Amino acid sequence: MDTRPVGVFDSGMGGLTVLHECLVTMPHEDFVYLGDAARLPYGPRPLEEIKSFAREIAVYLEAQGVKLILVACNAATSAALPELQSELAVPVVGVITPEAHAAVQATRNRRIGLLATEATVSAGRYESLLRTLDAGVEVHQVGCPALVPLIESDDPYGAATVDAVREYAEPLQAANVDTVILGCTHYPLIRRIFQRVFGREVTLIFSAEETAREVAETLARKGIENDPSREGRYRFLSTGDPEPFRVVGARFLQLPISEVEHVALADLQAAA
């Protein structure tokens, strides 16, 4: 059995929605989660800059002794996943592939929408993967720069969020998509708003469960699972202010967060 923890990172707190599913799927594993709150949001940044941030964090986590790294950030997965997989010694899993598979399986009219950050849309990885899985699929992408700040605000379910979702949904509704990928780990927190705007006829895809399953299968395939009879532990790191992360993060994780450790950006940069 391998007692090393699984490393998880995101630009902020959105990846905690994925970590929640990992904790449910693998209750015997230990996890360490790093949120890069000091540089949030990643979405408007150039892909090369996001790639450098992702590399710093991944190398830092590897130096901390993790056995697998989960990139629980759609923008970082889009910008850096192949490079991280080739450079690091530990396995690296991202969040895009499970969502693309789920969307292709769910669509009935082969018209798929993507709501994501600007960086994720511009990287084009979703469209490329969806077309690889089904060459005949139509992909309609919309960048949503306002959503992450609204979701992390004090009023994530307010009128401003509803108005923003309606605005971003409009071109997808006009394209008659029947499946929409929520391509940012923040978005599940307002899933009910998306469902209200799109209605039951549209299938929403956020594959935290599939991502967690991929992590579990990777650990099993590599023979690096922890003892299944134990209860796992988890710890949290943030490059930003630990207290807001602790308070707001519990909303994303849906579990208590007792302590958050601060990590200086200089430490990440030094590790890389």
Side-chain angles (χ1 to χ4, degrees), residues 8 29 32 41 49 80 86 99 104 123 129 134-135 142 169 171 174 189 205 210 260 265:
V8 184
E29 295 288 352
V32 54
E49 187 175 33
S86 63
E99 290 176 338
V104 168
L129 183 53
D134 181 354
V142 177
L189 201 69
I205 300 294
E210 287 87 350
V260 179
L265 291 177

Side-chain angles (χ1 to χ4, degrees), residues 65-169:
V66 302
K67 61 185 175 183
L68 178 147
I69 292 175
L70 169 57
V71 186
C73 173
N74 299 73
T77 299
S78 298
L81 185 64
E83 290 79 4
L84 296 180
Q85 289 175 329
S86 63
E87 182 176 345
L88 300 182
V90 298
V92 184
V93 174
V95 291
I96 288 179
T97 300
E99 290 176 338
H101 278 282
V104 168
Q105 291 172 354
T107 184
R108 302 173 305 280
N109 66 6
R110 301 171 86 192
R111 296 175 183 174
I112 297 174
L114 170 68
L115 296 175
T117 65
E118 297 151 290
T120 299
V121 169
S122 65
R125 289 197 186 276
Y126 271 106
E127 183 171 17
S128 175
L129 183 53
L130 288 165
R131 293 193 188 283
T132 298
L133 296 169
D134 181 354
V137 76
E138 288 183 22
V139 183
H140 302 270
Q141 305 180 85
V142 177
C144 310
L147 286 185
V148 168
L150 285 168
I151 293 168
E152 291 208 355
S153 73
D154 293 334
D155 189 18
Y157 310 110
T161 305
V162 176
D163 290 344
V165 169
R166 283 182 176 144
E167 177 186 341
Y168 296 139

Side-chain angles (χ1 to χ4, degrees), residues 12 19 34 43 59 66 71 79 108 132 146 150 167 201-202 209 220 226 251 270:
L19 177 60
L34 194 154
V59 171
V66 302
V71 186
R108 302 173 305 280
T132 298
L150 285 168
E167 177 186 341
E201 300 273 330
V202 173
E209 292 180 14
N226 210 334
R251 194 167 73 202

